[in-house]
Amino acid sequence: MEESMYQRLEIAVKRLAEIDEELSNEDVMKDIAHFRELSKERANLDPQVEAFNRFKKATDELVEAKELAKDSDPELAEMGKEEVKSLENELEKLEEELKELLLPRDPNDDKNIIVEIRGAVGGDEANIFAGDLFRMYTRYAEAQGWKIKILDETPSEAGGFSTISFKISGDRVFSKLKFESGAHRVQRVPKTEASGRIHTSTATVLVMPEAEEIDIEINPNDLQVDTYHSQGAGGQNVNKTESAVRITHIPTGTVVACQTEKSQIQNREIAMQMLRAKMYANKLAEQQEAIGNERKLKVGTGERSEKIRTYNYPQNRVTDHRIGFTIQKLDRVMEGELDEVIDALIHYDQSTKMAGEQ
């Protein structure tokens, strides 16, 4: 292991001990914000220190095994040699694990997310596919033990949604789903097509970390707030009061709407959450563009050429074009079994970061 890496881990050990001492202080426990901040830092350091302790233990055992390998007794020497080989492999894996753990963390990884899915190219079929994607993410979220709340939806008469926005809350949601933003392409015989021809349609997905007021500042004077009657499928009034809320951020032209709650106050609160998330996502995109970070692909116009992933039904195939990853398990992916795809994207991102660090 490189000396600089070893020193960073020694600092992590020392810092973890300091945090544990602070957390045992009654005054710190009374300061909720500081307590939460320390707890979050501890949660980040703990895996590093735990893996480092395993590394040091394996290093000590390797020294002993090498001594045993020199023993005059042939059987003991052979045991020592086998132990040396096993420990060297373990140390190699632990060093790779530690390299990943020391990578700079995305500060948004622990956040909940707001997702917006829109039918793009392909008319009714695009809207139906948007509904399929919503179901896919819902199933995945349920398997993770996360909670889903629909914030706004515009159902399509043919099925699915022309647009749907929803919030996913849970443990490290953004860390798992942050690479889903972009144009998703489907190739299949549409439910609306009688001739059996394969069509290509797209839906766009935008994943935004939930933003607090401290993350993004919005001037109330920059907002235009409109109220209207909530609408259901087919245009029927869900209620007779103007409970639905549409907010326009005038300087940027960003528009959000919410009609899921019966109370106008609740709908306005949710719409503000959506607005903060959109503006925060735009701010992050600008920062990434400024530093030349091309790993995170952003949502485009939904044109067929701007695809990040293809769902090919005739071949039961899912392909993520950003990393050249393909699996023949589309039926299971659409049921929410996204782990293989998501793990491949996370691994690619970590590998890219590690190459950059080196």
Side-chain angles (χ1 to χ4, degrees):
M1 181 186 291
E2 291 178 5
E3 183 63 26
S4 59
M5 183 175 168
Y6 198 92
Q7 287 174 355
R8 285 176 67 188
L9 289 163
E10 289 282 20
I11 291 168
V13 172
K14 186 179 177 183
R15 178 58 185 153
L16 186 64
E18 291 172 352
I19 290 172
D20 284 340
E21 190 175 339
E22 276 195 77
L23 288 173
S24 64
N25 187 313
E26 287 186 14
D27 292 334
V28 171
M29 292 176 75
K30 291 174 186 174
D31 185 343
I32 302 298
H34 187 46
F35 181 81
R36 191 184 291 125
E37 190 179 315
L38 286 173
S39 298
K40 191 178 286 188
E41 187 182 355
R42 192 193 189 286
N44 184 40
L45 288 172
D46 192 48
Q48 297 176 13
V49 173
E50 192 271 331
F52 186 42
N53 287 334
R54 281 189 283 131
F55 182 88
K56 288 193 289 187
K57 185 173 181 286
T59 301
D60 292 339
E61 289 173 353
L62 180 61
V63 172
E64 293 173 9
K66 284 180 176 178
E67 284 300 315
L68 186 61
K70 297 174 186 175
D71 199 280
S72 56
D73 184 325
E75 284 189 21
L76 288 175
E78 187 58 35
M79 281 176 58
K81 287 175 185 174
E82 288 179 9
E83 188 70 9
V84 166
K85 189 175 180 181
S86 173
L87 285 165
E88 284 177 342
N89 287 336
E90 184 183 346
L91 283 166
E92 192 176 325
K93 289 176 183 175
L94 280 169
E95 188 168 344
E96 286 303 307
E97 182 183 336
L98 283 163
K99 282 179 182 176
E100 286 188 13
L101 289 168
L102 285 172
L103 288 172
R105 289 191 66 210
D106 185 333
N108 295 306
D109 276 353
D110 292 325
K111 293 191 175 187
N112 299 326
I113 61 172
I114 290 175
V115 185
E116 182 181 275
I117 303 177
R118 291 179 176 273
V121 177
D124 288 339
E125 174 61 13
N127 294 338
I128 292 169
F129 181 50
D132 293 338
L133 290 175
F134 170 65
R135 181 176 178 274
M136 177 184 79
Y137 291 126
T138 300
R139 290 292 179 90
Y140 178 72
E142 288 169 350
Q144 300 294 313
W146 297 339
K147 292 180 181 177
I148 285 194
K149 178 180 175 61
I150 294 176
L151 305 179
D152 191 46
E153 59 180 320
T154 306
S156 167
E157 288 187 10
F161 305 92
S162 60
T163 178
I164 181 166
S165 300
F166 53 99
K167 178 179 175 179
I168 305 182
S169 309
D171 183 38
R172 292 177 60 76
V173 180
F174 186 71
S175 71
K176 294 284 187 75
L177 293 177
K178 61 183 173 182
F179 301 114
E180 293 302 297
S181 288
H184 295 239
R185 179 176 74 167
V186 63
Q187 294 174 324
R188 64 183 177 189
V189 176
K191 296 170 186 175
T192 54
E193 177 69 55
S195 64
R197 293 183 297 118
I198 294 173
H199 282 220
T200 297
S201 307
T202 59
T204 59
V205 176
L206 180 59
V207 176
M208 301 166 281
E210 187 180 25
E212 304 295 332
E213 288 185 36
I214 56 171
D215 295 321
I216 198 83
E217 214 174 294
I218 298 175
N219 186 341
N221 296 326
D222 290 338
L223 302 178
Q224 177 184 316
V225 181
D226 299 305
T227 58
Y228 56 99
H229 294 297
S230 296
Q231 297 290 308
Q236 291 181 318
N237 280 335
V238 174
N239 58 55
K240 296 179 180 179
T241 60
E242 291 194 346
S243 61
V245 174
R246 183 187 301 109
I247 300 177
T248 304
H249 184 250
I250 298 167
T252 61
T254 306
V255 181
V256 293
C258 181
Q259 58 176 357
T260 56
E261 305 297 327
K262 291 180 181 178
S263 158
Q264 187 183 114
I265 294 172
Q266 289 175 307
N267 281 329
R268 178 170 178 147
E269 189 177 320
I270 292 169
M272 283 302 296
Q273 287 180 19
M274 295 166 70
L275 180 61
R276 278 196 295 270
K278 278 199 171 186
M279 293 183 66
Y280 187 52
N282 290 338
K283 180 182 171 184
L284 292 175
E286 287 170 9
Q287 289 172 352
Q288 286 162 352
E289 194 171 334
I291 61 175
N293 184 347
E294 296 177 356
R295 283 194 302 270
K296 184 177 175 69
L297 302 182
K298 295 178 285 295
V299 67
T301 61
E303 292 296 329
R304 290 184 179 89
S305 60
E306 292 186 343
K307 61 189 179 295
I308 64 163
R309 191 177 298 154
T310 293
Y311 304 75
N312 184 294
Y313 276 72
Q315 297 175 22
N316 197 36
R317 169 174 57 83
V318 177
T319 299
D320 195 288
H321 303 285
R322 296 165 294 182
I323 59 174
F325 178 80
T326 297
I327 51 172
Q328 307 289 142
K329 298 178 182 178
L330 180 140
D331 52 338
R332 288 155 66 179
V333 166
M334 297 310 292
E335 288 300 317
E337 295 183 29
L338 275 165
D339 285 318
E340 278 189 68
V341 180
I342 287 169
D343 288 347
L345 286 161
I346 291 172
H347 178 71
Y348 176 83
D349 183 59
Q350 288 175 337
S351 300
T352 307
K353 284 177 181 174
M354 284 171 70
E357 287 275 302
Q358 292 164 7

